[in-house]
Amino acid sequence: MVFTEQLRSWFQGRRRDLPWRVADARGLREPYRTWISEIMLQQTRVEAVVPYFENFMQRFPAVEDLAAASEEQVLKAWAGLGYYRRARFLHAAAKQLVEDFAGEFPMTASELKELPGIGAYTSAAIASLAFGERVPVVDGNVKRVVSRWAALELASDAPALHKASEKQGAVWMLELPAGDLVAAGEMNEALMELGATVCLPRNPSCETCPVVDSCEAKALGRVAELPLAKKAKNWVDLEMVFLVHRVGERVFLQQQEGGWSPGLFEPPSKTLEQGVSAETALKSLQSSPSQVAAAHGIVRHTITHHRIRAHVFAAEGPWGLEETQFRHPDDVPLTGLARKVIRRALG
């Protein structure tokens, strides 16, 4: 119980003022805002999420607004955050909430997990923060804290560490004072905040940690070693060619049907096969043999396990292309790679 009291007291005195941390008179969070923020915060830093969250809430202030929007509108509001499946799941879940629950959120983690795109972490976050359910959250920050506090000899991506963190989190939930409606959500946020600001992957600030006295890794001098390193990624290197056709500020853009970002827009492109030059591949993208395309250098991009090196070319004029497919880049949701390519071509 000392651990939970120390951690909650520390968090109460230094919690960050964030736009999704809006509580009602009971101290509980609004579930819609909690849901949107938790989905955005997956794979994305807090500082980067804040402006996207505020813009998203202006466009879709309630779950009914999100459900009524088109997929293109949702993807455009999401553009720049990456991992676009998250946005599609948000849209699908919003529709289900409106159709099956009259816009009201289920109040338990087990029920929330039935919605598209809501897994164990997100359901626990919403249930604890918005409804006070005593269920632990487990993310990378929490696993790092548990690994060091208990001196667990486990890799950061090991399923065993995830299970151990869930088990320890459940123990801490049982130690919270009875009748305290905000205790579970506060404990979950405190653990994540500790991992995000103090118990850092590198150079942790042990001297400012509120629970350092009970940390096994600190006592053993092994903080820097734990959790154990995960296996290195096996990268796939790709070389691509993009041709940006432009008419004034409008660009020829095609909606992606497959690949990493279905539904988003990119200029025409081709993946280079081994031994084929960028100039040779460019010919297959030109709308006319006489079309002049100027080279604009190379941009680099990483997505999932792929590292992309993209050659950028640009050409003026429609050259017989369908003019309705020429759009201003700000009017459609672009992939992250497309934004880099267009910026280079128009810069």
Side-chain angles (χ1 to χ4, degrees):
M1 189 173 292
V2 173
F3 179 95
T4 58
E5 290 175 352
Q6 288 176 329
L7 190 58
R8 289 181 65 201
S9 177
W10 168 82
F11 181 64
Q12 289 164 0
R14 52 113 50 219
R15 76 178 85 203
R16 290 175 286 179
D17 184 19
L18 298 170
W20 46 85
R21 286 180 172 167
V22 178
D24 62 18
R26 300 169 299 169
L28 295 176
R29 304 284 178 78
E30 202 283 314
Y32 176 66
R33 296 174 69 88
T34 302
W35 172 47
I36 299 299
S37 66
E38 289 297 339
I39 297 296
M40 287 186 170
L41 286 165
Q42 295 171 14
Q43 309 292 332
T44 311
R45 293 179 298 105
V46 169
E47 296 76 12
V49 165
V50 169
Y52 281 97
F53 175 82
E54 292 175 332
N55 177 63
F56 201 90
M57 295 308 298
Q58 286 180 348
R59 293 192 185 195
F60 315 114
V63 67
E64 291 83 2
D65 301 302
L66 181 56
S70 69
E71 182 178 278
E72 186 169 318
Q73 289 172 321
V74 175
L75 290 174
K76 185 179 178 184
W78 194 269
L81 280 171
Y83 300 94
Y84 290 92
R85 288 185 65 198
R86 294 182 295 173
R88 292 190 177 86
F89 279 137
L90 271 180
H91 196 208
K95 290 181 177 180
Q96 188 172 333
L97 283 165
V98 170
E99 293 171 5
D100 298 344
F101 299 92
E104 298 293 327
F105 278 74
M107 298 175 66
T108 67
S110 60
E111 292 175 296
L112 286 161
K113 278 194 287 190
E114 298 299 316
L115 294 168
I118 296 185
Y121 164 80
T122 307
S123 62
I126 298 170
S128 62
L129 288 165
F131 302 112
E133 185 180 9
R134 299 199 167 193
V135 55
V137 300
V138 177
D139 71 350
N141 289 315
V142 173
K143 288 192 288 185
R144 187 165 56 256
V145 169
V146 172
S147 171
R148 289 171 173 168
W149 182 79
L152 300 177
E153 296 269 355
L154 297 168
S156 59
D157 58 344
L161 178 56
H162 191 101
K163 290 180 180 178
S165 300
E166 282 184 327
K167 186 176 180 179
Q168 182 59 59
V171 171
W172 284 327
M173 287 292 153
L174 291 174
E175 294 178 356
L176 297 173
D180 189 338
L181 198 58
V182 303
E186 191 170 79
M187 183 64 189
N188 282 332
E189 279 200 306
L191 279 167
M192 291 187 286
E193 190 91 348
L194 184 69
T197 62
V198 176
C199 196
L200 300 167
R202 296 181 181 84
N203 302 316
S205 303
C206 295
E207 64 278 4
T208 65
C209 177
V211 292
V212 67
D213 291 342
S214 59
C215 178
E216 288 292 323
K218 180 64 175 177
L220 295 169
R222 301 193 61 201
V223 173
E225 299 174 38
L226 300 174
L228 301 178
K230 64 176 73 172
K231 292 180 180 179
K233 275 188 177 181
N234 294 319
W235 288 101
V236 176
D237 292 309
L238 293 178
E239 193 137 3
M240 301 181 69
V241 173
F242 279 84
L243 177 56
V244 179
H245 301 84
R246 61 179 295 188
V247 175
E249 294 185 347
R250 294 183 302 133
V251 173
F252 183 80
L253 295 168
Q254 298 172 318
Q255 192 169 28
Q256 306 300 294
E257 295 181 357
W260 297 292
S261 305
L264 275 66
F265 289 79
E266 286 188 344
S269 66
K270 186 174 181 64
T271 300
L272 288 182
E273 297 178 3
Q274 190 171 6
V276 177
S277 68
E279 289 72 21
T280 299
L282 172 66
K283 294 177 182 178
S284 66
L285 298 175
Q286 292 174 292
S287 56
S288 167
S290 58
Q291 185 181 33
V292 177
H296 284 258
I298 291 170
V299 299
R300 298 176 188 275
H301 187 72
T302 58
I303 184 169
T304 61
H305 295 283
H306 294 77
R307 295 184 295 207
I308 300 171
R309 185 170 179 266
H311 300 259
V312 181
F313 294 85
E316 294 277 354
W319 287 92
L321 295 170
E322 180 60 54
E323 293 203 39
T324 58
Q325 287 189 263
F326 281 82
R327 310 199 189 190
H328 194 285
D330 291 340
D331 292 340
V332 294
L334 300 170
T335 67
L337 177 55
R339 282 196 305 277
K340 291 181 181 179
V341 166
I342 291 170
R343 194 181 305 124
R344 175 62 62 89
L346 303 186

